[in-house]
Amino acid sequence: MRAYTFTQPRAVREAVTQAGTDTAFLAGGTTLVDLMKLDVMTPARVVDINRLPLRGIKLDRDGLHIGALERMSDVAADRNVRRDYPMIAQALQLSASAQLRNMASIGGNLLQRTRCGYFRDVSTPCNKREPGTGCAALTGINRTHAILGTSDACVATHPSDLAVALVALGTHVHLVSGRGTRTVPLDGFYALPGSTPDVENVLRPGELITGITVPRSMWAANSVYLKIRDRQSYEFALTSAAVAIEWRGRTIRSARIAAGGVGTKPWRLPAVERALTGRPATPDVFESAVRTAADGARPLPHNGFKPALLRRTLVRALTVLAESR
């Protein structure tokens, strides 16, 4: 995947180099400002990057290119996105509130921090915020926490809806620093907590997201994002499903599936994809294919309902796609 640029990379690289490594970059500020008010994040410097030329929504033979400073609401409303990548538009529309979507940037959304209450409360132990202090969620209130990809050090759920859809579609993220540019798959961009939950991704000090590329595919236009939550608006997912299917008649030729609300990162489900490939789109096939969706899950005292809810969410998303043909 080539590094797609919306502007001269030198100008952005120079700005990032001048900012230094102990810097927080400010775009919409919908996460950073809140966490600074809570003393969860205390950067030495905050640099407003909104004047950098990192905007644009472009569709070409390689796929969909979105600049990191594009606002969520603008991407969700884009005609090409809604037509060719409906899953992305749906994930954005189901995120946060209308006011926040008007401010929040695409790059910022992909880097938003977990909404775990213990992470945001500096009076409680949290290995993600302060390594080595422990994880209060393990024995605390953990109904909304992760069941996949967890460790004894952290069970915080990844918060982004958009990232789940983008991972399902094989998105690449473009990065720049004083050392140059690089491109990495978004699925590999996020890190599992392991023993170092404070390391959430492969972003290096002083490195900045400049944009993303969602490749063209046969399944992207046949896609849906389904979000299950406690209330209809302004709430994070208990479970979510990003499902894209390439059809051959009534048969599933290939599928791309990721889940949200259950993992410490957006959670690809390749075993479910394989179970669907070459099979007819029937309720029995859907039910059978999703049986492995929660394999390896480690439910906590308050979220033992999530494995079953995840499977039901996937079946519902598959059903919606099959019935919409």
Side-chain angles (χ1 to χ4, degrees):
M1 176 67 64
R2 66 186 179 92
Y4 189 89
T5 56
F6 292 92
T7 183
Q8 294 296 323
R10 180 180 299 177
V12 179
R13 191 160 59 244
E14 287 177 353
V16 172
T17 301
Q18 292 173 9
T21 57
D22 192 14
T23 297
F25 296 112
L26 177 69
T30 56
T31 292
L32 175 61
V33 173
D34 285 351
L35 294 180
M36 288 179 66
K37 289 178 179 179
L38 295 170
D39 289 330
V40 174
M41 294 182 68
T42 56
R45 289 177 297 277
V46 176
V47 175
D48 188 330
I49 61 172
N50 282 290
R51 296 185 65 182
L52 291 179
L54 295 176
R55 296 182 184 271
I57 306 170
K58 305 184 182 187
L59 185 65
D60 62 21
R61 64 181 184 180
D62 293 325
L64 176 68
H65 311 281
I66 304 174
L69 289 179
E70 278 296 327
R71 281 356 190 202
M72 292 170 60
S73 56
D74 291 332
V75 177
D78 184 84
R79 180 181 60 182
N80 290 330
V81 175
R82 295 170 69 88
R83 182 191 64 223
D84 296 341
Y85 300 86
M87 176 195 295
I88 295 176
Q90 292 163 10
L92 288 167
Q93 289 169 335
L94 292 171
S95 300
S97 66
Q99 294 86 348
L100 287 173
R101 292 193 296 270
N102 285 336
M103 291 189 63
S105 68
I106 295 299
N109 181 278
L110 298 181
L111 292 175
Q112 65 180 297
R113 311 296 300 276
T114 181
R115 261 46 184 193
C116 172
Y118 300 106
F119 170 74
R120 300 170 73 87
D121 182 355
V122 295
S123 69
T124 62
C126 173
N127 289 319
K128 186 180 286 291
R129 172 174 30 82
E130 191 175 351
T133 60
C135 176
L138 287 171
T139 56
I141 299 172
N142 46 44
R143 179 175 178 271
T144 63
H145 285 70
I147 58 172
L148 293 167
T150 61
S151 72
D152 292 338
C154 184
V155 292
T157 310
H158 192 274
S160 174
D161 292 298
L162 173 63
V164 177
L166 294 179
V167 163
L169 294 174
T171 300
H172 285 68
V173 58
H174 308 300
L175 310 173
V176 66
S177 70
R179 294 181 294 273
T181 62
R182 63 184 180 124
T183 296
V184 298
L186 185 61
D187 192 24
F189 177 77
Y190 295 112
L192 292 173
S195 61
T196 56
D198 55 309
V199 180
E200 298 178 352
N201 52 59
V202 301
L203 203 65
R204 298 165 181 163
E207 200 165 36
L208 179 70
I209 294 178
T210 59
I212 61 172
T213 295
V214 190
R216 279 193 177 275
S217 66
M218 298 299 293
W219 53 73
N222 304 308
S223 63
V224 67
Y225 185 77
L226 179 64
K227 181 176 182 178
I228 306 300
R229 46 190 170 172
D230 284 328
R231 59 185 181 188
Q232 188 62 28
S233 65
Y234 199 32
E235 183 62 275
F236 292 91
L238 289 172
T239 61
S240 68
V243 178
I245 290 178
E246 179 186 0
W247 300 98
R248 183 190 290 129
R250 292 293 300 176
T251 300
I252 299 170
R253 183 174 184 180
S254 61
R256 295 292 294 248
I257 301 175
V262 292
T264 54
K265 59 180 278 186
W267 205 256
R268 274 289 304 280
L269 295 170
V272 176
E273 296 169 358
R274 290 192 296 269
L276 289 167
T277 301
R279 304 297 305 282
T282 65
D284 288 344
V285 167
F286 296 161
E287 293 283 355
S288 176
V290 305
R291 288 175 184 168
T292 62
D295 281 3
R298 299 173 62 192
L300 297 162
H302 299 151
N303 66 8
F305 64 90
K306 280 199 172 188
L309 182 60
L310 172 60
R311 291 188 287 268
R312 292 199 299 271
T313 303
L314 290 166
V315 169
R316 180 175 167 188
L318 287 163
T319 303
V320 168
L321 269 184
E323 290 179 349
S324 66
R325 297 188 64 238

